[in-house]
Amino acid sequence: MSLRLRSVVEHVETPAAGAAPPQHTELVERLLARVPEDPDAPAPDLVALVYAVADPQGHKTTASHLNHRTGGAAHGFALTDQGVGGPFIALRVAGAYARTGRGTAPLVAVVESGGTAGASAASGVLLRLGGPDGPDGPGGPDGPGGRGGLALADTVAVPVDRLAEAWAELVPAKGRLLLVLGPGTDPGAAPAERTDVRTAPADSSCTAVWRLLAQEAESWRGRYATVALCAVDTATGTGHLAVLRDLDDESEPPAGSTEEEEARHG
């Protein structure tokens, strides 16, 4: 089952010289203030907070705070110490949880304090997703929260030396592939055919590719059959991929995709 991207928002700020960076709870509050009004959106049933480095000055359980601020009825967890791979792992958990049938409205917040390794800006991204049923399902209105738009099809981790092969397998039979690469990821290995490449801002680390998604997801709709976000963990030599597909696109998913596997195994 694919999780539709209902909305994605970002917040970025560069702390003034000598000033403390915003706490994680502050980043969460600023993200929530940017979420578009959607009276038909269901309350989250799974809430995940992702951060690579612990809040340098916080003493709150921010995952619980986010849950409380968005209805308080969700299962919630925090994921840390996974570097740039954290958001991808959280989305993999959300997809697995949705496939159990127990939840189809996950909320994932990725926060990053300024001044940490690889991040000169304090930033956060909030992703709200939805399953195929209910107000955000096929019968809903057109738009990012209704029919069409981008949906999360798969998340995978591959060795860096196999990234070129993994990217090549994502080129759709029809339409174009967009590769969104994190800082330091080599664009030279991108497929030569029907592929465009975007590089995420260098002032962020674990939020980098997700910030570009927040900025441009709506403009990518209809232009790309497949969007792949990729970040490389240099410490482990691992490439993390999140694959989104345009639900308006009528081309067949490539062999081995999540949709094909689910159809095959029922």
Side-chain angles (χ1 to χ4, degrees):
M1 183 188 75
S2 295
L3 287 169
R4 181 177 289 103
L5 185 66
R6 289 189 67 97
S7 67
V8 51
V9 296
E10 67 161 345
H11 174 78
V12 183
E13 62 182 272
T14 301
Q23 298 181 23
H24 288 176
T25 50
E26 293 172 329
L27 288 171
V28 162
E29 286 298 323
R30 290 164 194 174
L31 288 168
L32 290 172
R34 292 173 177 264
V35 174
E37 291 289 336
D38 186 355
D40 294 327
D45 46 34
L46 182 71
V47 167
L49 178 80
V50 183
Y51 54 94
V53 179
D55 192 334
Q57 53 178 328
H59 302 286
K60 293 183 178 180
T61 307
T62 308
S64 297
H65 176 75
L66 177 59
N67 189 356
H68 173 73
R69 289 281 284 107
T70 55
H75 292 284
F77 68 95
L79 182 65
T80 187
D81 295 327
Q82 301 300 315
V84 296
F88 298 85
I89 296 169
L91 288 174
R92 192 175 304 135
V93 171
Y97 188 77
R99 284 192 292 275
T100 68
R102 292 181 295 171
T104 58
L107 184 72
V108 177
V110 187
V111 293
E112 186 166 61
S113 297
T116 57
S120 57
S123 60
V125 177
L126 189 69
L127 299 101
R128 184 172 54 172
L129 300 106
D133 300 317
D136 57 332
D142 289 345
R147 178 177 296 186
L150 294 172
L152 180 69
D154 204 1
T155 56
V156 295
V158 298
V160 170
D161 59 5
R162 290 184 52 200
L163 270 181
E165 177 185 346
W167 291 347
E169 292 175 353
L170 294 175
V171 177
K174 301 177 183 178
R176 298 186 67 81
L177 165 68
L178 175 64
L179 280 178
V180 182
L181 305 182
T185 307
D186 181 14
E193 296 184 355
R194 300 195 310 280
T195 301
D196 295 329
V197 178
R198 292 292 309 275
T199 300
D203 59 350
S204 297
S205 180
C206 70
T207 62
V209 295
W210 310 100
R211 283 178 55 188
L212 260 186
L213 179 66
Q215 295 164 16
E216 303 190 25
E218 192 60 25
S219 69
W220 294 341
R221 181 185 179 189
R223 294 174 57 198
Y224 296 103
T226 304
V227 175
L229 283 67
C230 181
V232 169
D233 186 334
T234 56
T236 63
T238 303
H240 297 274
L241 278 168
V243 181
L244 299 99
R245 303 199 188 280
D246 188 346
L247 296 178
D248 293 319
D249 186 79
E250 296 180 353
S251 58
E252 293 295 323
S257 70
T258 299
E259 292 93 335
E260 183 178 270
E261 288 298 313
E262 289 181 356
R264 181 181 302 150
H265 297 296

